[in-house]
Amino acid sequence: MTFMVQFTVDANPVPKGRPRYSARAGFVRTYTPKKTSDYETIVRETAQQAMGQTEPLETPTAVYLYIRLPIPKSYPKKRLQACLKGLERPIKKPDIDNLAKSVLDGLNGTVYKDDGQIVSLHVTKVYASVPGVDVLVREELP
């Protein structure tokens, strides 16, 4: 039987931020921006609840992400309605790959051992009245 886990991250999606660097006492330290690490923590905690006592997968996996972005507040009603009907899609920043990366990194070590196990990735980015990410991860067995 193929294992599958599905859950929703009820938080505004945050793209993976570029690594930051700081120098202290002659040493350079690399770190992830706070906003990104906070979001990855939310993803990880939501995934842990969905996984329960199940150990992280060690098999090839397929990941499906349905990313719901908030509609910009500056949009007039007509444009807002077009977004909600799916007639207008988010073609500007944040980039879809950076949004996916922050979710995938949050799932590392919780749903699967390492994101190198992902053999199939399907990502959709839409506008929605309630922002969040719907996540489905399943084993991709031959």
Side-chain angles (χ1 to χ4, degrees), residues 37-124:
S37 63
D38 289 349
Y39 181 70
E40 289 175 1
T41 300
I42 292 169
V43 171
R44 187 173 301 106
E45 289 171 353
T46 305
Q48 285 172 339
Q49 288 178 345
M51 290 291 286
Q53 298 298 318
T54 307
E55 290 293 316
L57 297 172
E58 294 186 39
T59 55
T61 59
V63 179
Y64 299 83
L65 302 176
Y66 190 76
I67 301 169
R68 295 175 279 114
L69 296 175
I71 301 167
K73 292 180 179 165
S74 62
Y75 282 12
K77 284 186 183 179
K78 189 173 184 180
R79 196 166 177 192
L80 183 132
Q81 290 303 317
C83 290
L84 291 175
K85 290 178 183 174
L87 301 175
E88 184 172 338
R89 302 286 293 268
I91 58 172
K92 297 184 178 177
K93 292 193 183 255
D95 296 348
I96 197 168
D97 57 329
N98 292 332
L99 289 164
K101 184 68 175 154
S102 62
V103 175
L104 298 176
D105 286 351
L107 301 178
N108 244 354
T110 303
V111 176
Y112 41 75
K113 290 273 188 188
D114 184 68
D115 55 7
Q117 295 168 232
I118 300 170
V119 296
S120 180
L121 177 63
H122 305 270
V123 186
T124 303

